[in-house]
Amino acid sequence: MAEETKDTAPQAEPQEREEAPAQEAEQTAPEKSEAELLKEQVDSLNDKLLRTMAEYDNFRKRSVREKEAIYPQATAAAVAQFLPVVDTIERALAAPCTDAEFKKGVEMILQNFKDVFAKLGVEEFGAAGDVFSPDFHNAVMHVEDEDAEAGVIVEVFQKGYKLGDRIIRHAMVKVAN
């Protein structure tokens, strides 16, 4: 029997320990009423709703910004593909031609391109006499010219084009030193 008491005594001790923290928890945290539980649930759902609304508003604003940024990029990419054609037409007009009607037709084609570019908001830049700016111009040659001031464009090999603040193509120029 001494063994039986030894076996039962250690078992009773952990049970008492388990009951003590449970009793303390009951005493420190009084049970919440049904109204308090419902209020907590409503507050939690309101918080989730506000967060969801804020996320949706951020998503909507981000989508609008991305959509507004895509149009100029797409326009600039499309215009860049047509620039070699415009350059070729300009070179054709610079060549001597005996047929006046043919030359007039080529001039009309070039004017149509310029009208379309104007409707899209594309501007050309880089004329002789302008001040050189590395943001807009690509200097491929430097020349010593007494008639021109230093840093002034003397000759334009290829016009530059921009759409708003976006440079589509830098102007290729010769600059005086």
Side-chain angles (χ1 to χ4, degrees):
M1 289 224 159
E3 290 179 2
E4 289 177 11
T5 56
K6 286 183 182 175
D7 289 340
T8 57
Q11 290 176 353
E13 207 172 298
Q15 288 175 353
E16 291 173 9
R17 288 184 188 162
E18 290 176 9
E19 291 174 8
Q23 289 174 355
E24 288 175 14
E26 288 177 9
Q27 291 173 358
T28 57
E31 288 188 26
K32 296 181 180 179
S33 68
E34 187 174 335
E36 290 174 337
L37 290 174
L38 289 174
K39 183 174 179 354
E40 285 180 6
Q41 188 177 12
V42 167
D43 290 344
S44 172
L45 290 174
N46 279 339
D47 184 52
K48 285 181 184 178
L49 176 65
L50 287 174
R51 290 178 189 273
T52 303
M53 288 173 54
E55 286 179 25
Y56 177 73
D57 191 43
N58 290 339
F59 169 76
R60 186 181 54 76
K61 288 177 183 176
R62 184 174 57 246
S63 296
V64 168
R65 276 193 313 268
E66 288 172 357
K67 192 165 89 171
E68 289 172 353
I70 287 173
Y71 179 75
Q73 290 173 350
T75 303
V79 168
Q81 298 299 313
F82 285 107
L83 292 181
V85 177
V86 171
D87 292 339
T88 303
I89 293 172
E90 288 176 343
R91 281 193 292 272
L93 283 174
C97 181
T98 57
D99 189 358
E101 291 298 315
F102 179 76
K103 187 167 184 149
K104 183 178 178 182
V106 174
E107 287 173 350
M108 290 172 61
I109 292 171
L110 180 61
Q111 187 58 47
N112 285 339
F113 268 110
K114 289 184 177 185
D115 292 344
V116 169
F117 285 173
K119 286 179 185 175
L120 293 173
V122 176
E123 302 171 24
E124 62 181 47
F125 62 90
D130 290 350
V131 177
F132 173 77
S133 170
D135 295 332
F136 298 106
H137 307 102
N138 182 14
V140 292
M141 292 180 69
H142 290 277
V143 64
E144 295 294 330
D145 192 349
E146 296 172 4
D147 297 335
E149 295 179 26
V152 173
I153 297 172
V154 177
E155 185 178 348
V156 178
F157 299 117
Q158 196 174 51
K159 291 180 185 175
Y161 292 88
K162 66 180 182 173
L163 177 64
D165 293 337
R166 180 185 304 269
I167 302 295
I168 298 172
R169 181 176 76 184
H170 290 82
M172 195 178 307
V173 297
K174 182 193 296 186
V175 180
N177 283 340

